[in-house]
Amino acid sequence: MNYYSLHHNAPKVSFQEAVIRGLAPDRGIYFPENITPLSEDFIENISDYSHEEIAFEAIQQFIGDDIPKSILKEIIAETLSFDFPIVPIEENIGTLELFHGPTMAFKDVGARFMARCLGYFNRDKDESVTVLVATSGDTGGAVANGFLGVKGVDVVILYPSGKVSEVQEKQLTTLGQNITALEVDGVFDDCQEMVKTAFLDAEIERTLTSANSINIARWLPQMFYFFFAYKAMHKKNKNLVFSVPSGNFGNICAGIMAQKLGLPIQHFIAATNVNDTVSNYLEAGVYAPKKSIATISNAMDVGNPSNFIRIQELYDNDLATIKKHFSSYSFSDAETKIAMKSLYDKAKYIADPHGAVGYLGLKNYDLKDAYGIFLETAHPVKFLPTVESTLSRKIAIPEQIQQIMHKEKKAHFITDYEGLKKFLME
Ligand SMILES: Cc1ncc(COP(=O)(O)O)c(C=O)c1O
Ligand SMILES: N[C@@H](CCOP(=O)(O)O)C(=O)O
């Protein structure tokens, strides 16, 4: 499988090269040249397949011969060693919990998959690769955990100072070894911009790649969630509507890929906090990125989502087609808190602020006789003060979080791109 740059000014590359580069030389993100739907028979009989078999079917065409099938199966098995349950909430609404991995957010799957692909590509190389990653909260922890101790890989995580939760900060600043955290005086979009600038800076002699969803090996495995949800709901014979709490729009874009592969998904809702670049675009037809605003669903504080260009490509760059299949609604922190309370009062469900935004997306949409699934993208413990004060109750702290809370934060403070460049050149 070849990948082309969405800026259309760079050569096509293989899966391996796209993973190692992260971003194309023209600063565009990569997109697969072909998307071949899976057989109708496979989709119809999906309940007969295990999660690992489904994941293999979904992703193998995007990898081609760059990883032998037996190794790809091992990578998938190691990646998917936890659950993805759907919890019923209301008669026609359920939540797909994606926080049962090691860092308790949905990023674990992509981070673990990419770490193993890169480990495979580096197996005989002496030269090391530096994985640069920008985080608004969860990617950093998942990448730190997924790449910890991976041979030949150094990880550098940029995060916005004071704008991630305490648990998230501990997860990305306390591991040591091959993981370094850079605390940036800025917002997530500044971190993401610095990462993209570093890729094209010829003076930096390190081999750099990205572990954000711009990297296809981080992005594509997120398709699996939609297949797993479809498998779980298949026998109920309902049309499915997914509401995806969205920030950088990688997860929902992976859902649309799953739909292109043949999953009969009726509609997608991108639910956002007040960072409403995409909902404004759907309304006004003008794509106007803006500086991100801090909210209680901080991992979605993104003003210029990297993946929206992939969504446009998937819908033939046609606004009318996008609007037919895809809606986006934006919600304030006050609305998010009311949703968290309502989920607890009515269903005894403790949602984190991101999941609650996803729930609001469904409540804003006329499901008719469809079944709505909102993605619960992180465990509520990652946002402990907000969840406890909103629900006026204490929540239990899982063992894996207790273990990191007493660890000492280690981060280098930088104020601009020159700070990152200096760090990378030292
Ligand atoms: C908990 C949580 N929910 C939602 C999102 C938004 O996902 P995406 O950036 O793929 O839109 C993120 C960050 O990516 C997150 O960490
Ligand atoms: N919400 C993310 C921001 C980056 O998204 P990604 O999927 O492109 O890595 C985070 O939590 O860091």
Side-chain angles (χ1 to χ4, degrees):
M1 168 69 70
N2 278 333
Y3 290 82
Y4 59 92
S5 160
L6 287 175
H7 284 182
H8 303 284
N9 206 11
K12 288 178 187 165
V13 294
S14 65
F15 174 76
Q16 173 165 345
E17 198 175 339
V19 173
I20 291 170
R21 281 187 176 276
L23 193 69
D26 62 356
R27 226 168 185 260
I29 59 175
Y30 284 115
F31 194 82
E33 197 171 31
N34 298 303
I35 303 169
T36 309
L38 306 180
S39 76
E40 282 177 20
D41 186 61
F42 171 74
I43 304 282
E44 193 42 48
N45 295 301
I46 198 160
S47 330
D48 298 342
Y49 294 86
S50 67
H51 278 176
E52 289 171 23
E53 288 166 336
I54 293 170
F56 179 78
E57 284 301 316
I59 209 157
Q60 63 160 331
Q61 65 173 287
F62 299 105
I63 288 154
D65 296 330
D66 288 11
I67 300 178
K69 291 196 178 3
S70 58
I71 307 259
L72 178 59
K73 284 181 182 169
E74 276 170 29
I75 290 176
I76 289 173
E78 287 170 18
T79 299
L80 298 178
S81 55
F82 40 88
D83 290 339
F84 304 87
I86 294 188
V87 178
I89 299 289
E90 292 171 16
E91 204 193 329
N92 60 346
I93 291 183
T95 183
L96 173 64
E97 290 188 343
L98 299 177
F99 58 68
H100 295 277
T103 68
M104 310 194 106
F106 77 95
K107 308 283 171 159
D108 282 322
V109 166
R112 286 154 70 90
F113 184 86
M114 182 186 159
R116 285 162 178 79
C117 290
L118 211 52
Y120 176 75
F121 295 144
N122 276 353
R123 66 198 180 285
D124 300 322
K125 292 194 185 136
D126 291 331
E127 191 201 2
S128 68
V129 174
T130 300
V131 170
L132 269 187
V133 61
T135 187
S136 53
D138 289 317
T139 298
V143 168
N145 183 285
F147 283 81
L148 185 68
V150 173
K151 177 183 157 273
V153 178
D154 293 314
V155 176
V156 178
I157 304 169
L158 284 79
Y159 74 98
S161 179
K163 295 182 180 68
V164 303
S165 78
E166 193 187 349
V167 171
Q168 289 170 328
E169 187 169 42
K170 290 281 184 181
Q171 286 181 322
L172 60 96
T173 58
T174 59
L175 292 185
Q177 296 186 44
N178 58 331
I179 315 292
T180 306
L182 300 183
E183 182 174 1
V184 177
D185 181 18
V187 296
F188 168 76
D189 298 286
D190 299 321
C191 302
Q192 186 158 248
E193 200 49 36
M194 284 188 204
V195 166
K196 288 181 178 171
T197 304
F199 285 135
L200 306 180
D201 189 331
E203 289 177 55
I204 298 172
E205 284 174 353
R206 294 186 188 214
T207 307
L208 298 178
T209 190
S210 157
N212 282 107
S213 54
I214 57 174
N215 194 307
I216 51 168
R218 231 312 305 288
W219 169 54
L220 288 171
Q222 297 177 168
M223 295 186 297
F224 303 160
Y225 310 138
F226 301 85
F227 281 93
F228 299 164
Y230 181 73
K231 176 186 171 177
M233 296 303 298
H234 181 50
K235 293 263 157 70
K236 299 206 166 66
N237 238 343
K238 287 270 186 193
N239 288 325
L240 295 184
V241 172
F242 282 97
S243 177
V244 184
S246 296
N248 221 8
F249 283 66
N251 210 16
I252 194 161
C253 183
I256 301 167
M257 285 289 285
Q259 187 187 40
K260 288 265 165 191
L261 288 178
L263 270 196
I265 297 168
Q266 186 179 301
H267 199 74
F268 284 100
I269 300 165
T272 72
N273 55 31
V274 290
N275 292 287
D276 55 5
T277 303
V278 170
S279 53
N280 285 348
Y281 167 68
L282 296 188
E283 230 163 76
V286 181
Y287 190 76
K290 46 189 184 180
K291 211 170 170 68
S292 56
I293 299 165
T295 72
I296 58 168
S297 48
N298 63 275
M300 306 196 298
D301 294 348
V302 182
N304 189 9
S306 287
N307 289 284
F308 195 64
I309 189 169
R310 282 184 175 140
I311 296 180
Q312 290 174 305
E313 189 76 358
L314 281 162
Y315 290 133
D316 303 327
N317 293 296
D318 179 49
L319 183 55
T321 311
I322 298 178
K323 283 165 97 164
K324 194 166 146 214
H325 298 278
F326 177 100
S327 307
S328 183
Y329 311 122
S330 144
F331 303 97
S332 67
D333 281 354
E335 290 169 310
T336 307
K337 287 183 182 176
I338 292 170
M340 289 164 70
K341 278 197 201 121
S342 157
L343 278 161
Y344 188 69
D345 293 342
K346 290 192 194 145
K348 288 287 164 282
Y349 190 76
I350 302 178
D352 94 290
H354 304 74
V357 169
Y359 172 70
L360 282 170
L362 287 179
K363 295 307 261 183
N364 211 42
Y365 180 81
D366 184 4
L367 282 170
K368 300 202 176 75
D369 55 2
Y371 192 83
I373 296 179
F374 70 92
L375 274 48
E376 177 47 312
T377 42
H379 191 289
V381 76
K382 296 191 86 168
F383 312 93
L384 203 58
T386 304
V387 175
E388 290 190 337
S389 66
T390 304
L391 302 184
S392 308
R393 69 190 306 273
K394 289 266 169 219
I395 63 171
I397 304 183
E399 180 61 29
Q400 73 230 66
I401 302 295
Q402 284 182 32
Q403 278 173 10
I404 52 161
M405 291 315 280
H406 66 275
K407 290 197 177 163
E408 192 197 344
K409 158 185 162 182
K410 290 207 175 102
H412 305 263
F413 193 79
I414 61 168
T415 53
D416 54 18
Y417 177 69
E418 287 311 311
L420 171 63
K421 185 166 176 173
K422 187 161 168 261
F423 176 83
L424 293 173
M425 289 179 70
E426 263 165 13

